[in-house]
Each structure stands twice: as C-alpha cells, then as structure tokens.
Amino acid sequence: MDQQFIIDALDEEILSDDDFSNSDLDSDIVVESEHDTCTEESGLSSDENESSDQNYLGKDGTKWKAQMPPSNSRTRSHNLVTHLPGVKGVAKNSKTIIDSWQLFFPDEVISEIVNFTNVKIQKVRENFARVRDAKDTDIIEMKAIIGLLYLSGSLRSSHQNLCDLWRTDGLGVDYFHATMNIRRFRFILQCLRFDDVNSRNTRIKTDRLAPVRNIFDGFVDRCQKYYTVSEYVTVDEMLESFRGKCRFRQYIANKPAKYGIKIFSLVDSRTFYNLNMEIYCGQQEEGPYKVVNSGKEIVLRLIKPISKTGRNVTCDNWFTSVPLATELLEKHRITMVGTIRKNKREIPPNFCHTRGKIIQSNMFGFTKDMTLVSHVPKKNKIVLLLSTMHHDNAIDSNNKPEIITFYNMTKGGVDVVDELKGNYSVARTSRRWPLTIFYSLLNIAGINSQLIYKANNNCNINRREFLQTLGKQLTMGYLQQRTNIKTLPIDVKRKIASILGEKYIEQSNAGPAREGRCYYCDRKKNRKTKTQCKNCENYICKEHTVTYCQKCCEDAQHSSDNSDYSEY
C-alpha cells in the first residue's frame, strides 16, 4: 500500500448557497472538543511511598493484585478470531477498478443524488437567461463530476483554483477542458444535494444530519457488507476541515485543520479499511436519533459489526474506561487496549505518583480479566494503559511493557486513514457542510475500493495510479456522449479523440466533411468554411488557402522523398 503521507493544502473557493441561511442548522456554533489525545502522559508529585502490599486499591475500592494471575497455555476464548479478514460476498466478483468503487457508490445511489440535484436545479433555473445554462443533470454527467474530483485529488490540486485546471494556454490540464465546461462543473457542485429539500425542514427538527442521513448511513452499511477486518481494529476520531456555519462544528487544537466536523471511526489497524463511522452532531432533539455521546457509548455503537468475533479494539484515553473494558469483554467477547486517564476512580493512587520512580520503570496491577500498567517514559511523566488482552508483566527488548508496544503498533489506524485521505483528497473548499461530508465519503470509498481491488486481483497498485484510473473510467461515458455535440469546438474534439483512442478517430472522421471554423482566423471573426487541409484536416478559409496544381504537388512530393533518402 502506498503510505506516503504528504498533505498538500491548496486554496479553492466554491460559491456558497443559501439553502441553510435561515435555519438553525447554519448557526455558527463552535464547540471545543473534549477529545484531547495529548494528555496521555501525566505526572503527579506525592510524598507517599509506594505500597508494599500485594494489593492496590482504587479510589472506588477496585482491587488490583501486584502478582499476575497463573499462566494458562490455552488461548483465551475472546482471543480466537473465527471470521478471517478479507473480501466477502458479492464483492469477490469485483475484478476491475470501477466495479470495486461501485460497491460503495452503486448506480442507485448516484441516481438518487441526481434526482435531488435536479430538484435544486429546477428552483434556480429561473435565475438564468438561457435554459441550457441550467439544464438537468444525469447519471453519466454526475459520474464525470466525481471522476474529475478524483483526478484533481490525484494531481494534489483539490484546493487549486478551478481556473488554473481549465486553462488553455498550456498551463492547465487538457483532460479537464476536454471532459467538461468549467461553468457546468461549478454549477453542478453548487446545486449538488443529497436529500429532498422540500421535506428537509420537517426532518431536521429531529435529526441534525437530515441533509446527509440517507447517503451516509447507506455508505456505512455497504462498508460493513463487503469486507471483514483483521483481528486488530482502532477507534478514534477524524476531523473533516470545515470553517463554514454549522451547529456541530468542532475545535480540536492538536489537529492540523483545528476547525471541522468530527467523525468517529472504526478502522482495521493492519489494512486501514474503514468499517464503521458516526458523525458527531452534538445533542440531538428528542426522537429516534437522540443518543448518548459519551466515549463508552460511542465505542459500543461502533463495534456492533464485530461483536462476539474475538477481536481487539485499541483506543485512546478519551474512550478507555474500566466499565467499557468489562462490558466489551463480557457481553461482546472483544478485548481492549488503551491509554487511560489518571482521574478514573478505579486507578490506585500509587500508579499516578512519579516521585521517587526511576525512568523506564513499570508498575503492574492485575485483576481476573484486566491488566493495568504505569510506565515512566521520562522524569515526572507517566503513562497509564489498560488491557483485557494481556495478562502478564512481559517486557520487550526496549524495556517497555508489551502492552505499550502493542498499543503503539495498533493505535494509528484512523490516523493513517486521515493521512491517506489528505494525500490525494477530492475535497474542495465549501461553505456547505453536507458537501464536506460527501467529499469525505468519496475519499474513504477510494481507500476501501483499492483494498478490495488489490485483494481480488492479488496485485500491488499504488494509490495515485488507482485514483487516476478510477477518475478516467468515471468520465469515459460523458466523453463519448460529448462527441455528439455539433457545436463543440474542433480543438476540444481533437482532445477527446486522443483520449478515446484511434478507433474513435476513424469513426469521427467517417462521412462527408462538414462546415467548421477556420483554424487560423481569430475566433471573433467566426469565419466558417467547408474546406479542410488534406494533411492535418484543419478547416481553412480562402484567405489561408494556397492553391497548387496536381503536377506541382507531385513534383514537390517527389523532391521531398529524394531529400529524405539523401540523408542516408
């Protein structure tokens, strides 16, 4: 897998829309997130000496033994993985890049997006003098829009000004100019919708995520349907960069974007397949979508697809707690490894003290099913970890507990997905948060579909090549459709012909010559002619036509052939 994590942030501005300008959804409320992963190491000074007793007591009376429980050679039942990782179901038949991607965005979903977008287009059509400037879209054109987004991401141009991509002076990208008019591309992005705007005001009273609820939930269901993750998964949050108006916009100081929409995610720690997601939208109104947003409840909702499968969940100190670890083990047969905050009442005070402790020293506490470790990485700092997967005090070659080594190995699943998304992101600057969510789903679909394609074909294709091929295949249908436009400029027709191949060139040149604009005259003259050059097939007017008789042409051809042979 291509794991070069270079994040390219270029600026691009998409015109905003006023769909949410008068609704509560657009209230510019920024909440500082409680999820702070920078506090995993903490220190406390104390005059108390460490207890020499065989047991440690937490503030709530939880008893931890200093001696580890008797070892058992048999593997515990909760560490047995019965469902092997890999592609499953009908996804095994997806052998091409486009088929792998369409597992997550099938034609039915794109058709729904087209219908919702056309509703918006009909509303704004009266603002245009020409009907053709606001005509309805279709599935083929919508796929071309998505394809161009993937291509711009593969070129690391997602935030580059659109005008630079469509320039025709040699500094732009010919593929964009050949595929679609820039005005049409902007117009579709502005009108892009994912729900029925006519019923949104009713649905939004009980669901803040009404504008993206159907497309988001459907996408998550398909992610769970086609792939089985490995034995180690990670739970963490992603922050989709967004600075527009949104009631649940978050501020996280230690994130590169700092402001954005928070998405909790469950990711395979080995392959980085995104299995489950949940958008944080604050406290919902009374209704079917109101849930508890504590760290424990979020983890319990995210692990539902892997419940009772014997897997392990790695998470940071915002999620980790003793009650969560106990419930995961007893009710879901899932182990957990994670850092834990020192203010938890189950933690014995001795585990939080640093005075008198030697650097790289460790303190272990054991219960029947859990292990607690306090590690001193440097002076006056400690890190606390809780594990229901480890049941001993094993130390690795670097003098670190194996619990910490395992945590460091599996904690980065969501962070890697974040970097993969940022590497070749399709996201463009927008003031509409539903569009930001849609861009995120496209990025994740690119990652998941690549994993399925590689597994089905047993090949190693890098991410940039995969996305470029995907973008081209998504735009191919619209390119072929565009060749039927009679008023298309001849230079655009040539570019399309070169993209589609020689076979298309032969078909496009079949039949009698038609009228075209002179290649050499200024476009303002709009001089039409039916005369074409026999060599380059450019249309030429009388002013730029030179007449020769047949004998002179033959003599010129003969002399040219002789001059070629004279070089040898």
Side-chain angles (χ1 to χ4, degrees):
M1 172 176 292
D2 185 6
Q3 298 184 8
Q4 301 175 355
F5 309 127
I6 305 172
I7 300 179
D8 187 12
L10 299 174
D11 293 331
E12 166 57 17
E13 186 173 333
I14 296 295
L15 299 179
S16 64
D17 191 90
D18 58 353
D19 271 6
F20 308 105
S21 58
N22 296 322
S23 66
D24 291 338
L25 184 66
D26 237 3
S27 302
D28 191 14
I29 301 175
V30 181
V31 180
E32 185 169 359
S33 175
E34 298 176 355
H35 191 159
D36 184 5
T37 58
C38 291
T39 59
E40 293 178 355
E41 293 185 0
S42 56
L44 277 177
S45 297
S46 175
D47 295 328
E48 300 178 5
N49 295 324
E50 295 180 8
S51 174
S52 59
D53 297 336
Q54 293 299 313
N55 296 329
Y56 306 109
L57 290 178
K59 296 178 182 178
D60 65 344
T62 302
K63 190 177 295 186
W64 301 84
K65 294 183 178 181
Q67 298 296 326
M68 62 182 181
S71 60
N72 190 342
S73 59
R74 295 183 60 185
T75 302
R76 298 200 177 205
S77 60
H78 52 252
N79 292 134
L80 296 175
V81 178
T82 57
H83 298 85
L84 297 178
V87 183
K88 63 181 181 179
V90 297
K92 293 181 179 180
N93 301 324
S94 300
K95 302 295 184 181
T96 65
I97 290 178
I98 188 68
D99 288 343
S100 300
W101 181 83
Q102 286 184 327
L103 292 172
F104 305 96
F105 280 95
D107 287 346
E108 299 81 26
V109 174
I110 298 180
S111 178
E112 287 184 2
I113 297 175
V114 168
N115 293 335
F116 296 142
T117 302
N118 285 336
V119 172
K120 176 61 180 177
I121 291 176
Q122 293 171 8
K123 286 189 173 184
V124 302
R125 184 171 293 152
E126 60 184 15
N127 300 328
F128 292 83
R130 300 184 302 179
V131 177
R132 67 179 185 181
D133 292 336
K135 63 180 181 180
D136 288 348
T137 185
D138 55 24
I139 293 181
I140 296 177
E141 185 178 36
M142 188 60 66
K143 287 184 178 180
I145 293 286
I146 296 174
L148 291 179
L149 288 173
Y150 277 119
L151 288 174
S152 67
S154 69
L155 297 173
R156 303 180 189 273
S157 303
S158 61
H159 292 283
Q160 186 176 355
N161 192 290
L162 284 179
C163 295
D164 292 338
L165 294 175
W166 262 267
R167 292 179 67 168
T168 57
D169 57 358
L171 299 178
V173 182
D174 287 344
Y175 198 96
F176 286 77
H177 184 247
T179 303
M180 185 174 295
N181 185 283
I182 184 175
R183 292 193 303 273
R184 183 64 177 175
F185 184 81
R186 285 181 182 272
F187 176 75
I188 295 298
L189 286 185
Q190 292 168 19
C191 296
L192 200 59
R193 296 295 182 274
F194 314 103
D195 73 319
D196 187 0
V197 295
N198 296 321
S199 62
R200 180 184 299 161
N201 291 335
T202 302
R203 291 179 287 109
I204 212 168
K205 292 179 181 179
T206 57
D207 184 14
R208 294 182 178 181
L209 298 178
V212 295
R213 174 64 67 182
N214 290 337
I215 186 175
F216 184 84
D217 288 353
F219 179 85
V220 172
D221 290 341
R222 289 186 289 275
C223 288
Q224 299 169 12
K225 184 178 179 181
Y226 299 122
Y227 196 85
T228 302
V229 294
S230 65
E231 61 270 35
Y232 305 134
V233 297
T234 308
V235 170
D236 205 348
E237 95 285 354
M238 300 182 289
L239 189 70
E240 299 299 332
S241 177
F242 181 74
R243 286 182 174 265
K245 293 182 179 181
C246 179
R247 294 184 66 179
F248 44 87
R249 183 163 58 113
Q250 293 283 296
Y251 171 77
I252 304 180
N254 62 342
K255 291 289 185 180
K258 297 195 185 324
Y259 291 91
I261 299 172
K262 185 162 65 175
I263 301 177
F264 296 107
S265 182
L266 184 142
V267 173
D268 190 323
S269 302
R270 293 178 182 268
T271 63
F272 313 117
Y273 184 91
N274 203 315
L275 184 70
N276 200 2
M277 293 183 294
E278 178 182 309
I279 301 175
Y280 175 79
C281 58
Q283 189 67 33
Q284 289 269 40
E285 308 300 331
E286 290 292 338
Y289 299 105
K290 184 176 182 179
V291 294
V292 179
N293 289 320
S294 64
K296 175 185 174 182
E297 295 300 325
I298 289 173
V299 173
L300 292 177
R301 290 195 294 270
L302 289 175
I303 59 91
K304 285 183 179 179
I306 60 171
S307 178
K308 299 182 180 180
T309 61
R311 285 169 167 76
N312 180 82
V313 175
T314 301
C315 49
D316 62 34
N317 59 13
W318 192 81
F319 301 98
T320 307
S321 66
V322 173
L324 172 62
T326 302
E327 185 168 347
L328 286 176
L329 190 64
E330 294 179 353
K331 294 185 178 181
H332 301 278
R333 202 163 58 84
I334 292 177
T335 59
M336 187 187 71
V337 176
T339 53
I340 187 170
R341 292 181 176 178
K342 66 180 184 297
N343 60 357
K344 302 296 184 181
R345 294 186 57 82
E346 298 85 359
I347 307 298
N350 289 3
F351 280 67
C352 302
H353 299 160
T354 59
R355 177 166 295 183
K357 290 186 178 180
I358 303 173
I359 298 176
Q360 297 297 322
S361 64
N362 307 295
M363 179 181 290
F364 289 89
F366 301 95
T367 65
K368 177 184 176 182
D369 296 315
M370 283 182 286
T371 300
L372 178 69
V373 60
S374 173
H375 177 71
V376 183
K378 55 185 178 180
K379 187 177 180 180
N380 295 329
K381 295 290 182 181
I382 63 167
V383 57
L384 298 171
L385 283 95
L386 180 70
S387 173
T388 56
M389 179 181 179
H390 302 81
H391 305 282
D392 55 30
N393 57 0
I395 305 295
D396 65 10
S397 57
N398 295 323
N399 199 30
K400 287 185 178 180
E402 287 189 356
I403 298 176
I404 294 180
T405 304
F406 178 85
Y407 174 80
N408 291 335
M409 181 183 69
T410 58
K411 69 177 181 179
V414 178
D415 293 333
V416 171
V417 170
D418 252 344
E419 296 193 45
L420 288 174
K421 288 163 52 183
N423 235 4
Y424 301 110
S425 176
V426 305
R428 309 200 69 81
T429 302
S430 172
R431 298 191 185 104
R432 291 169 43 221
W433 66 263
L435 200 56
T436 299
I437 298 296
F438 179 65
Y439 291 148
S440 178
L441 298 184
L442 289 181
N443 286 326
I444 293 173
I447 298 172
N448 287 0
S449 59
Q450 182 187 4
L451 292 173
I452 290 178
Y453 175 79
K454 290 169 64 176
N456 286 340
N457 294 276
N458 194 23
C459 65
N460 188 18
I461 180 173
N462 64 60
R463 180 161 162 74
R464 184 168 181 268
E465 181 183 352
F466 179 87
L467 293 179
Q468 286 184 339
T469 305
L470 174 61
K472 290 179 180 178
Q473 291 181 355
L474 286 171
T475 57
M476 200 58 61
Y478 191 73
L479 280 169
Q480 294 174 345
Q481 189 181 77
R482 206 177 185 203
T483 58
N484 299 324
I485 302 177
K486 297 180 179 180
T487 58
L488 202 64
I490 188 65
D491 59 327
V492 176
K493 289 183 178 180
R494 288 199 189 92
K495 291 176 183 177
I496 295 177
S498 64
I499 293 172
L500 296 180
E502 294 182 357
K503 183 177 181 180
Y504 174 80
I505 294 176
E506 294 174 358
Q507 292 176 351
S508 62
N509 291 333
R514 298 181 179 179
E515 189 179 62
R517 185 182 291 108
C518 178
Y519 182 78
Y520 297 97
C521 289
D522 190 279
R523 291 182 65 89
K524 294 181 180 179
K525 293 184 178 180
N526 197 25
R527 185 176 289 172
K528 300 296 182 60
T529 178
K530 293 184 178 180
T531 305
Q532 284 183 278
C533 174
K534 297 298 182 182
N535 185 29
C536 66
E537 299 182 355
N538 286 332
Y539 287 97
I540 47 178
C541 65
K542 291 184 178 181
E543 180 182 346
H544 298 99
T545 302
V546 179
T547 305
Y548 289 93
C549 69
Q550 184 175 356
K551 184 176 181 303
C552 291
C553 288
E554 293 174 353
D555 292 343
Q557 182 65 32
H558 181 70
S559 61
S560 175
D561 294 340
N562 290 337
S563 64
D564 291 339
Y565 283 113
S566 64
E567 294 180 1
Y568 297 93

